[in-house]
């Protein structure tokens, strides 16, 4: 589980901004919002980020996704550059390093990982763990001039000299050590646990344009997600769907398909290599069965509404979140969803998930009008400072003089007392 994530000099974020899942001292709704992540440590399941357009909400999620890809998709060549931009609205920051750090729980052990980089290389990297006291796994330093990295294992990992040599050889100056480990045949429990966490717990970002429907359909087809569970989630959301039907057909590989997958990054490199050896691909055709007055009707997916298809994708994510341990970043959670369905999705997640987390951006303010269903420490805001840089802060940072009761949260945000609302101008346009 994620304990804390920080971002510095990434996109519109200039100074270090921290998103924390450690709860404030409150018993409010703790049975639904808090998870016992490790002995003596409880963490929040949910983080909702509010803010005006272009305030940096999505950047928080993209930075988390960038960190995941930095670990799991190491560059193949030294000449590959890292695909990001530092803070550009300042004379100094483009030449300064970017830093991302994350603290997380894996197998009841707390890890802290920090990586510092520029567009050409990983400059510094460090992984520590607490079991129970702090110990270092490795420190990596890069000689920028010679394009060479030095990796030093911590004192608790004695006898790793041979592994250190092999790992160093596979860690290009623009690769992380964790990425280098994935390409190296060595044994190290801490490195294995850390890379497993990025691969299995932290999932890719879900954007409004993400094709969740095909992804969920493929998971159901491979029995990685239970169809009946997805169907129950859809029924509970009042979609009048009585069955999910998936038909298969063989087809020739369309020209340019693999290049498209590589460009979009929607399929892993290993999967593309595997698929390229086949002359045909299997196409999954999705349809939904509706029962009306005891008669069954079958509708293809393209006859369904955008909201239905969006929630079908979300139902698949929900099944994953409930039946396993995952963290899923979702941008614009409310997109194509009725406000009541938005709340229903969150409450279903909070009441049924055990060790999963959602980090989502949203413009839906209605949840702020009902303190019976939210905690202050799960609500975050992004706003722009005077130098046009993103600042991130929590609703829990405000004292009772600003927010006294339930209605004040919604009203205070709506009128700008909490910041993070657009400063709109006149409706009249000059000629």
């Amino acid at each position: 589980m994620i304990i804390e994530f920080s971002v510095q000099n990434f996109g519109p974020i200039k100074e270090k901004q921290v998103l924390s899942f450690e709860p404030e001292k409150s018993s409010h709704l703790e049975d639904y919002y808090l998870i016992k992540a490790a002995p003596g440590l409880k963490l929040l399941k949910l983080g909702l980020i509010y803010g005006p357009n272009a305030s940096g909400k999505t950047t928080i999620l993209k930075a988390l996704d960038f960190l995941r890809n930095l670990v799991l998709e190491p560059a193949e060549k030294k000449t590959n550059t890292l695909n990001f931009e530092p803070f550009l609205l300042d004379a100094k920051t483009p030449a300064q390093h970017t830093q991302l750090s994350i603290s997380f729980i894996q197998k009841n052990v707390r890890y802290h990982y920090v990586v510092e980089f520029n567009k050409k290389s990983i400059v510094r990297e460090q992984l520590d763990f607490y079991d129970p006291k702090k110990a270092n796994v490795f420190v990596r330093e890069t000689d920028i001039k010679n394009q060479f990295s030095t990796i030093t294992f911590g004192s608790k990992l004695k006898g790793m000299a041979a592994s250190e040599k092999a790992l160093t050889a596979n860690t290009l100056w623009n690769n992380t050590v964790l990425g280098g480990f994935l390409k190296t045949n060595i044994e190290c429990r801490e490195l294995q646990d850390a890379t497993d966490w990025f691969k299995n717990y932290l999932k890719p970002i879900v954007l409004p344009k993400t094709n969740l429907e095909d992804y969920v359909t493929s998971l159901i087809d491979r029995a990685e997600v239970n169809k009946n569970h997805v169907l129950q989630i859809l029924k509970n959301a009042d979609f009048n769907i009585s069955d999910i039907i998936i038909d298969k057909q063989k087809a020739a590989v369309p020209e340019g398909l693999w290049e498209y997958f590589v460009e979009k990054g929607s399929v892993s490199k290993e999967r593309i290599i595997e698929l390229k050896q086949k002359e045909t691909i299997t196409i999954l055709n999705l349809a939904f069965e509706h029962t009306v007055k005891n008669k069954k009707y079958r509708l293809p997916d393209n006859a369904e509404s955008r909201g239905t298809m969006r929630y079908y994708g979300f139902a698949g994510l929900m099944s994953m979140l409930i039946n396993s341990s995952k963290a899923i970043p979702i941008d614009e959670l409310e997109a194509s969803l009725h406000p009541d369905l938005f709340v229903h999705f969150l409450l279903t997640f909070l009441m049924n998930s055990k060790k999963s987390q959602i980090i989502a951006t949203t413009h839906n303010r209605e949840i702020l009008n009902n303190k019976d269903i939210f905690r202050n420490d799960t609500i975050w805001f992004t706003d722009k400072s005077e130098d046009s840089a993103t600042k991130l802060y929590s609703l829990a940072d405000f004292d009772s003089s600003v927010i006294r009761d339930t209605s004040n949260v919604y009203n205070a945000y709506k009128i700008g007392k909490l910041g993070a609302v657009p400063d709109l101008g006149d409706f009249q346009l000059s000629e």
Side-chain angles (χ1 to χ4, degrees):
M1 294 188 66
I2 301 173
I3 303 171
E4 183 179 283
F5 174 59
S6 73
V7 190
Q8 182 175 336
N9 196 25
F10 187 95
I13 299 171
K14 181 181 178 183
E15 304 296 336
K16 183 178 180 180
Q17 304 298 314
V18 179
L19 178 69
S20 175
F21 285 87
E22 293 194 77
E24 62 176 348
K25 293 180 180 179
S26 170
S27 60
H28 182 51
L29 300 172
E30 64 178 353
D31 290 342
Y32 303 105
Y33 275 86
L34 301 187
I35 308 169
K36 186 176 180 181
L41 178 65
K42 290 185 177 181
L43 295 174
L44 292 161
K45 295 181 183 180
L46 180 66
L48 292 177
I49 308 174
Y50 289 79
N53 296 109
S55 64
K57 299 187 302 298
T58 303
T59 300
I60 303 294
L61 306 190
K62 286 186 174 181
L64 184 60
D65 195 55
F66 182 87
L67 179 60
R68 179 183 186 274
N69 290 333
L70 202 60
V71 170
L72 298 180
E73 299 290 340
E76 299 292 338
K77 300 177 181 178
K78 273 190 173 185
T79 53
N80 293 146
T81 57
L82 303 182
N83 186 23
F84 81 102
E85 294 294 342
F87 185 74
L88 299 176
L89 301 178
D90 184 281
K92 297 179 180 178
T93 49
Q96 294 174 348
H97 298 151
T98 293
Q99 187 180 98
L100 303 176
S101 70
I102 192 164
S103 298
F104 58 90
I105 297 294
Q106 172 74 329
K107 295 182 179 179
N108 289 324
V109 176
R110 178 173 182 156
Y111 286 86
H112 180 71
Y113 176 63
V114 58
V115 57
E116 188 176 326
F117 53 91
N118 55 38
K119 299 197 76 169
K120 290 184 176 181
S121 69
I122 307 297
V123 179
R124 191 179 187 279
E125 188 181 2
Q126 182 168 336
L127 178 66
D128 298 312
F129 69 103
Y130 300 75
D131 194 20
K133 294 183 178 180
K134 180 179 179 180
N136 177 246
V137 180
F138 71 84
V139 175
R140 176 263 191 88
E141 302 279 355
T142 300
D143 183 334
I144 302 294
K145 183 178 180 180
N146 294 314
Q147 301 183 12
F148 183 78
S149 296
T150 302
I151 304 168
T152 305
F153 284 106
S155 58
K156 280 198 171 184
L157 279 72
K158 295 179 179 178
M160 297 287 288
S163 297
E164 182 180 328
K165 186 176 181 180
L167 184 56
T168 300
N170 278 333
T171 303
L172 303 180
W173 77 319
N174 54 356
N175 287 181
T176 62
V177 171
L178 297 182
F181 173 74
L182 293 174
K183 300 187 290 185
T184 309
N185 186 26
I186 61 172
E187 289 187 14
C188 176
R189 179 178 63 85
E190 291 78 12
L191 290 177
Q192 188 67 61
D193 286 349
T195 51
D196 283 349
W197 185 87
F198 279 99
K199 181 180 180 181
N200 300 322
Y201 185 77
L202 182 59
K203 307 309 290 181
I205 186 173
V206 176
L207 299 166
K209 63 182 180 181
T210 299
N211 187 348
L212 275 181
E213 301 85 46
D214 287 353
Y215 174 63
V216 170
T217 300
S218 67
L219 292 179
I220 293 174
D221 180 64
R222 299 197 300 267
E224 294 179 26
V225 165
N226 185 283
K227 185 185 82 168
N228 292 329
H229 196 222
V230 174
L231 192 58
Q232 181 187 357
I233 293 169
L234 289 171
K235 287 179 178 179
N236 288 351
D238 194 31
F239 277 101
N240 188 32
I241 293 174
S242 51
D243 198 5
I244 299 167
I245 303 161
I246 301 173
D247 292 327
K248 299 181 183 180
Q249 69 178 78
K250 293 288 186 180
V253 179
E255 187 176 347
L257 179 64
W258 311 130
E259 291 76 8
Y260 173 81
F261 283 156
V262 170
E263 179 185 348
K264 294 296 182 182
S266 55
V267 179
S268 68
K269 294 175 183 177
E270 294 79 7
R271 181 64 174 156
I272 290 175
I273 292 171
E274 177 187 339
L275 291 172
K276 274 186 173 181
Q277 298 173 4
K278 301 181 179 180
E279 295 182 357
T280 62
I281 59 173
T282 301
I283 296 177
L284 303 178
N285 295 313
L286 174 67
F288 296 99
E289 179 187 89
H290 296 262
T291 303
V292 181
K293 294 181 179 181
N294 296 321
K295 289 187 177 181
K296 296 179 178 180
Y297 300 88
R298 175 171 172 169
L299 295 181
D301 56 354
N302 58 12
E304 299 286 355
S305 71
R306 178 60 197 144
T308 298
M309 295 310 300
R310 174 79 167 171
Y311 205 79
Y312 166 69
F314 275 13
L317 295 185
M318 180 70 73
S319 183
M320 291 170 57
L321 290 163
I322 292 172
N323 293 310
S324 58
S325 298
K326 310 288 182 189
I328 301 182
I330 305 175
D331 188 33
E332 296 186 21
L333 178 58
E334 77 283 3
S336 301
L337 300 183
H338 186 279
D340 290 348
L341 192 54
F342 172 87
V343 173
H344 177 83
F345 178 83
L346 290 179
L347 294 183
T348 301
F349 166 70
L350 291 169
M351 294 182 69
N352 294 279
S353 64
K354 303 302 180 187
K355 285 200 172 183
S356 290
Q357 293 170 301
I358 289 177
I359 315 103
T361 69
T362 181
H363 293 289
N364 188 309
R365 301 182 299 190
E366 293 191 15
I367 194 173
L368 301 178
N369 212 16
N370 188 349
K371 203 166 185 179
D372 289 336
I373 61 174
F374 80 88
R375 286 173 56 106
N376 287 1
D377 48 11
T378 63
I379 306 297
W380 292 79
F381 301 108
T382 53
D383 210 347
K384 287 294 185 74
S385 59
E386 291 184 359
D387 59 358
S388 293
T390 295
K391 53 183 180 180
L392 175 70
Y393 53 95
S394 171
L395 179 58
D397 295 338
F398 293 90
D399 59 31
S400 59
S401 65
V402 178
I403 303 170
R404 292 188 178 85
D405 55 36
T406 301
S407 62
N408 268 0
V409 176
Y410 176 76
N411 290 332
Y413 177 61
K414 190 167 66 171
I415 65 176
K417 278 192 173 183
L418 307 178
V421 292
D423 184 15
L424 303 176
D426 198 350
F427 297 111
Q428 183 67 43
L429 301 178
S430 60
E431 294 182 3

